[in-house]
Amino acid sequence: APAPAPSLPFPVRALRAKGRDGRWARKALVSAQGEGAIGGGGAEAMAASAVDATAAAGTAADGLSAPRAPIVRAQALGGGEGYGLVLDVPGAGGAHAGETLLEVPLERCWSAETAARVLGKELVDALAEHDAIAAHMLAERSSARAEGLKDVVPYCGMTLREHAAMLSETVDTPLFWSEAELAELQASSARAVAPRLRDELAGEHAALAATLAAAATRADAPTLVSTAAEAIKPLDAYLWARATLWSRGATVTREPSAGLAAVGSAGAGSDSGSQPVASKLLVLAPFFDLFNHSVFVGAGDSHRIVRDDSGTEALRAVATRSYAPGEQVHISYGQHSNRQLLLSYGFVTHGGQDHMSGKAATASDASGVSESGNGFDSVELVMGLPVASADELEALRAAPDATALDGGDGTEGAKTWRELRAPAAEDWEARARAAEEAAEGGGEPPPPLEFEVVHTLHARRPLTEGLLGMARVRALASAAPGGALDSAAARAAGDIAFERRALPPRDEVAALGTVLSVLEGVLASYGTSAEEDEALLGQSDTPSGGKNAQASLPARARAALVVRLGEKRILAAAVRETRTKMRRVVRGVRRLALRSTDGERGACPQSMSVQSPWIQKLLGERERVERCDEAVSLLSRKIHAALPTGDIALLDAAGAPFLWMTNTVGRLPNGDKSNAKPPYDMAEVAATGASEPASIGDGSGQSDRGSSMARAYLRQYAEKMSLWGSWFTAQYITCGTYGLRDFNAIGAECVALRQRAAWSVPCEAALAAAAAHGPLIELGAGAGLWAKALRERGVDIEAYDTGKWVSKYAATSDGAARAEEHADGSEMADGAAGLESGAVALGGPEVLDNTDLADGRALVLMYPDYGGMGAFGLEAVRRYTGDTLVLVGEWADSTLGAYAEGVPESGQSFSAECQTLVRERFELQETVALPSWPLYRDVLRIWRRR
């Protein structure tokens, strides 16, 4: 495979590729006019014996300037790694940073200027720069073949004809890939660029061939013009010349003054901070083009144009660090993404290594390397933004279009977006006429026009200000009267959107939702996930039997995989960053609500009767809040779609209204501050399929599905809390308060879910903590969900439940209401279901008197006392003679306390008497936080007998 080389010297073109939504969306072919990007395309045609020869000193016999003797030589790198330049100095001194490695006079390079010397200035002036060089290259190659020139030994100062003779006949860039090979790029814009580029080049080839044929008929035409006209006829010849120039050439800055002129590498289409009086020159330097690229070399540090006192110009390569004799020397081709590297040079970087050739980049400074091995990797995505006015269009155009990537080379930064298509003046005029006609005839107003842009997301800046800012402008426009911004509003929107601060919550949610839908839509358009690509890449990177398994994956397929994987990683990082911003909005709304004092009526009789200081506000606002249901629903769906199921921000948001209503936020350890993470691993929720309520603890007799039902219950908890958290957040954003109807509905649903499944939600950490103390005996096991899950883990557990209400365990202070609600012997739904399924046996605290059954087992109790009152838990602890308690539910220091009539201060799981006895006889060993429904703070605690 050819050694890597520099960047594409063709201009940005708008290319069209099929968009996700069925439209033809233009995608731009990224220009790789990397300043100073001189690199090697390899020396495949060199004879093996010639490769190791010392580079000869330049000669002036041809009348051109003699180059300075280099201290590098060409060498085959071995292991199928192509060729490069290695340090060639005597002794062990090596080369130091800043030392000159190689100089090639510009007059010995391929350029429009050298082409003019042999093809004629008049003809070259009429051609594009790259076409003049391509014609010259083909003419010299044809002449070399006619002379039988081959097996040329590369040396500094070689003639252009010698160089043409040693150039490879093939250039392995996507321009020459098959459709099947391009398909491996999946949704990368590189897939559309390559075939479209080939079509464009076919048109350029026809024009150039005609121009050369006409020039060759002139009597005064130089000899090589006829040679070039003949050599250019085959399209493949022209494609070879252009691809060779892309993969080996560079656009360099030529300063008008003497001395050194630094050459930058600012990437696609930038000026690299050049002086206004400077000019650009496209060149391909023989021998110089054998330098390989390294991501560890700073852009703009490795090579420069120099001019001596006589005015002779040369390309100079310098060492960017110390090199030992025989060590390969690298330069930088510029700050290019893997997509650009592949299109331009035919290789990519991954983990500090380039593919196709597999050459490793080794250096002590890894500043240019990201997770993919290329800190300048990027991905392109197209957005079609509706615009309803020219003012709104100008507001969108005000988006920042560059971002600093800390390249350390003084460049302005990488471009983050470019315009593909925008409405013209006549489009606005036509839309205005259509709007007038619609208004007069009572018809529908015309749809907005479209502003089409391509955003470039970078590895070091996945979520750009341009992308987010445009989405914010659109959010403000959508919320404006009539869905359009007037002149003043458009200017204000632009100022707000691009100040790098969030909009008001409603508009910020809309903007972030737009960004997420775009990012996730692009990710979905790839054929495989990042995880699948990483696994495939990892398999090919794993040595097997002393040989690298990389050989099992074709080089082109591997390069395509690295490109698409890098793009997916950037998109995924942008999704994470956007979700973080959405999480901040949700948490900000929660904090605002919890700190609100508007409408508090804590001293009024009605508020005192229900122990909520906000009842008057809830009652007074009920009708207004319910009229907002449609708007709340729309906003809620955006929030719910933006954050993963079970996200901690949504869990906190679901519980916040109940804390606000009961005025109990002060009972939380962090007050109104948000929790850092949920009481479970998010993978537990993500790995579990969607649950169906009827399958959880329904008494169907499926006792072997305990663990799967426990996971389903956890998933259902996460789904419900996420749904409620999204709804309550949207409701507060829209209404400035919460809905009384929703409190009642959610409270009732919580009770139903807990009765059907379990009073506490199991998670992996809690089940593992309980399992560590087996064998176990559980009393009051209800439907037996926890017992089933523990059995599935291999734990020996005996589970019991009375299945009916036993009045002797009821609290003596319950009164007539509690006695009427639960008559002695009345069935308890959860316990009856557990008994019917066979997962639970009949029994209460008295089973602990059976020493053969209870001895050696840790006692498990979960919500043993109804409403935190009664004697079931107390009686069980009294009768238990073992050493370990596993207690699940609320505790005196983990509860919201007596927030309502009938709710004890000590929590709703264990009576105060039971808790006192436990603390007297046992010592707390471990606490595990549990997923908790609103108004509860469940924990699992392990106690050891004193």
Side-chain angles (χ1 to χ4, degrees), residues 384-390 392 421-432 446-452 474:
L385 298 165
V387 286
S389 69
E392 184 182 332
R421 182 172 58 85
E426 54 269 25
D427 298 321
W428 292 116
E429 292 171 1
R431 186 177 186 277
L449 301 178
E450 188 173 72
F451 178 46
E452 196 170 36
R474 279 302 311 144

XYZ file of all heavy atoms in Angstrom, residues 384-390 392 421-432 446-452 474:
214
model
N -31.630 20.876 7.337
C -32.497 21.739 6.557
C -33.388 22.517 7.502
O -34.291 21.953 8.123
N -33.118 23.807 7.688
C -33.822 24.613 8.675
C -34.913 25.447 8.006
O -34.626 26.204 7.070
C -32.839 25.552 9.380
C -31.729 24.871 10.177
C -30.640 25.872 10.519
C -32.289 24.264 11.443
N -36.160 25.336 8.448
C -37.218 26.181 7.886
C -37.015 27.628 8.315
O -36.706 27.907 9.474
C -38.495 25.588 8.481
C -38.047 24.901 9.725
C -36.652 24.427 9.484
N -37.159 28.550 7.387
C -37.038 29.975 7.697
C -38.250 30.694 7.122
O -38.629 30.493 5.977
C -35.732 30.577 7.139
C -34.542 30.149 7.955
C -35.523 30.187 5.687
N -38.864 31.533 7.946
C -40.092 32.211 7.544
C -39.868 33.662 7.162
O -40.797 34.324 6.719
C -41.116 32.122 8.672
N -38.644 34.159 7.354
C -38.370 35.548 6.977
C -36.890 35.713 6.698
O -36.058 34.935 7.186
C -38.786 36.504 8.097
O -37.933 36.367 9.215
N -36.565 36.733 5.917
C -35.163 37.026 5.615
C -34.424 37.432 6.884
O -33.222 37.150 7.028
C -35.078 38.128 4.562
N -34.935 36.231 9.868
C -34.612 34.982 10.569
C -33.415 34.305 9.915
O -32.546 33.748 10.601
C -35.819 34.061 10.554
C -35.624 32.777 11.350
C -36.824 31.867 11.276
O -37.953 32.369 11.096
O -36.634 30.635 11.384
N -27.312 25.858 0.815
C -28.350 26.464 -0.019
C -29.208 27.368 0.855
O -29.560 27.010 1.973
C -29.217 25.377 -0.666
C -30.304 25.892 -1.602
C -30.968 24.715 -2.329
N -31.537 23.763 -1.399
C -32.753 23.884 -0.858
N -33.488 24.927 -1.142
N -33.201 22.962 -0.030
N -29.515 28.556 0.318
C -30.330 29.507 1.064
C -31.322 30.161 0.111
O -31.061 30.288 -1.087
C -29.443 30.575 1.715
N -32.478 30.577 0.627
C -33.448 31.273 -0.223
C -32.861 32.559 -0.788
O -32.177 33.313 -0.087
C -34.601 31.572 0.734
C -34.442 30.611 1.861
C -32.976 30.397 2.010
N -33.116 32.804 -2.080
C -32.672 34.030 -2.722
C -33.771 35.080 -2.631
O -34.896 34.799 -2.176
C -32.312 33.753 -4.180
N -33.465 36.296 -3.106
C -34.430 37.392 -3.026
C -35.728 37.045 -3.741
O -36.828 37.316 -3.245
C -33.809 38.657 -3.613
N -35.604 36.402 -4.916
C -36.815 36.051 -5.666
C -37.658 35.001 -4.945
O -38.889 34.961 -5.097
C -36.463 35.555 -7.066
C -35.468 34.413 -7.101
C -34.022 34.854 -7.201
O -33.724 36.007 -6.777
O -33.203 34.071 -7.702
N -37.006 34.159 -4.133
C -37.763 33.176 -3.352
C -38.632 33.871 -2.300
O -39.791 33.497 -2.081
C -36.810 32.184 -2.669
C -36.003 31.378 -3.665
O -36.563 30.991 -4.700
O -34.808 31.120 -3.405
N -38.062 34.880 -1.652
C -38.832 35.612 -0.649
C -39.987 36.378 -1.302
O -41.085 36.459 -0.744
C -37.925 36.584 0.116
C -36.922 35.905 0.986
C -35.568 35.943 0.871
C -37.200 35.061 2.111
N -34.971 35.184 1.843
C -35.941 34.628 2.630
C -38.356 34.618 2.737
C -35.836 33.798 3.727
C -38.246 33.785 3.842
C -37.009 33.381 4.324
N -39.711 36.942 -2.471
C -40.762 37.677 -3.172
C -41.915 36.752 -3.555
O -43.089 37.096 -3.391
C -40.182 38.344 -4.412
C -39.197 39.473 -4.092
C -38.476 39.963 -5.335
O -38.764 39.437 -6.437
O -37.625 40.871 -5.207
N -41.570 35.554 -4.056
C -42.606 34.601 -4.429
C -43.403 34.157 -3.209
O -44.636 34.010 -3.267
C -41.974 33.397 -5.122
N -42.723 33.965 -2.090
C -43.420 33.542 -0.880
C -44.348 34.655 -0.385
O -45.465 34.390 0.088
C -42.422 33.160 0.211
C -43.083 32.573 1.457
C -42.052 32.145 2.487
N -42.705 31.461 3.585
C -43.290 32.079 4.621
N -43.305 33.410 4.676
N -43.844 31.381 5.585
N -43.904 35.916 -0.487
C -44.738 37.031 -0.056
C -46.017 37.117 -0.894
O -47.113 37.351 -0.364
C -43.952 38.334 -0.144
N -48.259 29.959 2.893
C -47.211 29.121 2.276
C -46.258 28.584 3.337
O -46.050 29.224 4.379
C -46.507 30.085 1.324
C -46.760 31.443 1.912
C -48.131 31.369 2.503
N -45.685 27.436 3.115
C -44.739 26.882 4.095
C -43.461 27.704 4.124
O -43.167 28.453 3.192
C -44.475 25.467 3.555
C -44.707 25.586 2.084
C -45.823 26.574 1.929
N -42.688 27.590 5.197
C -41.413 28.308 5.258
C -40.464 27.830 4.152
O -40.608 26.720 3.623
C -40.864 27.952 6.645
C -42.033 27.475 7.421
C -42.958 26.834 6.435
N -39.510 28.652 3.807
C -38.446 28.246 2.899
C -37.389 27.492 3.702
O -37.479 27.392 4.924
C -37.854 29.474 2.209
C -38.856 30.305 1.388
C -38.171 31.519 0.783
C -39.504 29.455 0.316
N -36.384 26.972 3.024
C -35.407 26.134 3.721
C -33.999 26.690 3.569
O -33.581 27.088 2.484
C -35.445 24.700 3.185
C -34.578 23.748 4.005
C -34.743 22.294 3.596
O -34.256 21.948 2.512
O -35.370 21.534 4.348
N -33.314 26.713 4.674
C -31.902 27.097 4.739
C -31.111 25.827 5.024
O -31.242 25.241 6.097
C -31.704 28.127 5.849
C -30.282 28.576 6.042
C -29.477 28.928 4.962
C -29.744 28.663 7.313
C -28.169 29.353 5.151
C -28.443 29.093 7.520
C -27.651 29.438 6.432
N -30.320 25.398 4.067
C -29.636 24.112 4.191
C -28.162 24.334 4.498
O -27.466 25.073 3.792
C -29.785 23.314 2.894
C -29.442 21.844 3.050
C -29.842 21.053 1.821
O -29.732 21.572 0.700
O -30.251 19.894 1.994
N -34.229 28.653 15.918
C -35.443 28.017 15.416
C -36.478 27.850 16.530
O -37.679 27.997 16.309
C -35.109 26.650 14.809
C -34.575 26.712 13.406
C -35.528 27.402 12.451
N -36.878 26.877 12.565
C -37.978 27.609 12.446
N -37.914 28.904 12.230
N -39.176 27.048 12.556
